[in-house]
Amino acid sequence: MATSNRIAEVAAAVGEPARAAMLAALMDGRALTATELAGVAAVTPQTASSHLARLSTVGLIAVEKQGRHRYHRLAGPEVARMIESVMQIAGGVPRQRPPRRVGPKDAALREARTCYDHLAGALGVGIADALRTSGAVEIAGDAAVLTGIGRARMQDLGILAPETHGARPVCRPCLDWSERRLHLAGVLGAAICAHALERSWVRRRPGTRALEVTPAGRIGFRDAFGVDHAAG
């Protein structure tokens, strides 16, 4: 159970600008070295190590060692969900007058990006809408379910394995930062994103969470989900 002290500890860890920059950089689901994160946060490697230790202590990041290198990643989807929520609040707070646009200014980020391990932006919302309209997914409030029709369809497409195990929800709605509508997270959201990357339907844009939809992706997303508006 979360105590007020624990809440304050997590909030303080997120509330430092360099640490916030590091957490945002890890939102694309990849693991980065301390040197890479130091560059993102514009701090020295020594300072970055101190920040990363703080984030690890409060359970916001996990560290994996591979050979001589140590890689840092978000501790789990619940951390990504928290960071995305903070981004929504930070981007929507008016200063002198209400902003005319919410979410990122970068058009590429608005069109398609990763939200931890699933697709977001107009592309992610479009897929969620299409699956909902076809009856593959049912969404009610903060809950979502992959229907029998939807599961069979995802298996036929090679997106989802016949058996899905683990404590993580198979399907969960996630409020999109830029669209302010729902895209899909959970096992299904991660599987769709992984499938798109493996098939080169999307490719990562260097130095950002933005994704480029390829010509193959325009065909793939249309055939698999009926999403026609995805464009690179």
Side-chain angles (χ1 to χ4, degrees):
M1 179 178 178
T3 65
S4 57
N5 287 342
R6 174 64 175 161
I7 293 171
E9 184 181 22
V10 172
V14 176
E16 200 284 329
R19 291 195 289 268
M22 292 176 176
L23 291 169
L26 295 173
M27 279 291 289
D28 67 358
R30 290 181 290 179
L32 299 177
T33 65
T35 300
E36 291 168 333
L37 289 167
V40 166
V43 296
T44 66
Q46 293 80 4
T47 301
S49 295
S50 177
H51 285 315
L52 291 168
R54 176 77 176 274
L55 293 172
S56 178
T57 297
V58 299
L60 295 179
I61 65 169
V63 183
E64 298 176 357
K65 187 173 182 180
Q66 186 172 338
R68 296 180 301 165
H69 299 287
R70 291 164 62 86
Y71 294 91
H72 305 79
R73 59 175 176 78
L74 295 184
E78 67 283 354
V79 177
R81 188 159 64 248
M82 180 192 71
I83 300 302
E84 185 84 357
S85 297
V86 171
M87 288 178 173
Q88 291 167 14
I89 295 170
V93 174
R95 293 180 181 174
Q96 294 182 346
R97 63 181 63 182
R100 288 178 294 175
R101 171 177 286 182
V102 295
K105 295 180 180 179
D106 187 343
L109 278 172
R110 299 177 69 86
E111 179 59 35
R113 66 181 183 275
T114 51
C115 176
Y116 187 53
D117 62 357
H118 52 274
L119 297 175
L123 174 61
V125 169
I127 291 172
D129 285 346
L131 290 176
R132 193 174 187 178
T133 299
S134 69
V137 169
E138 295 178 357
I139 301 176
D142 294 332
V145 63
L146 179 65
T147 65
I149 293 173
R151 182 178 289 275
R153 181 177 168 189
M154 293 302 102
Q155 291 173 5
D156 288 344
L157 291 169
I159 292 174
L160 205 62
E163 296 294 335
T164 302
H165 301 283
R168 188 178 185 186
V170 173
C171 186
R172 181 182 62 77
C174 182
L175 181 62
D176 195 87
W177 174 29
S178 55
E179 297 296 306
R180 293 304 195 265
R181 296 167 57 213
L182 299 174
H183 60 244
L184 295 175
V187 173
L188 176 61
I192 292 173
C193 183
H195 186 83
L197 287 166
E198 289 169 1
R199 298 295 179 93
S200 296
W201 290 358
V202 292
R203 63 171 66 101
R204 298 184 187 273
R205 296 178 186 267
T208 175
R209 281 200 284 154
L211 298 170
E212 177 186 358
V213 180
T214 66
R218 288 194 287 273
I219 297 171
F221 287 121
R222 183 192 64 205
D223 292 348
F225 305 105
V227 176
D228 294 323
H229 68 276

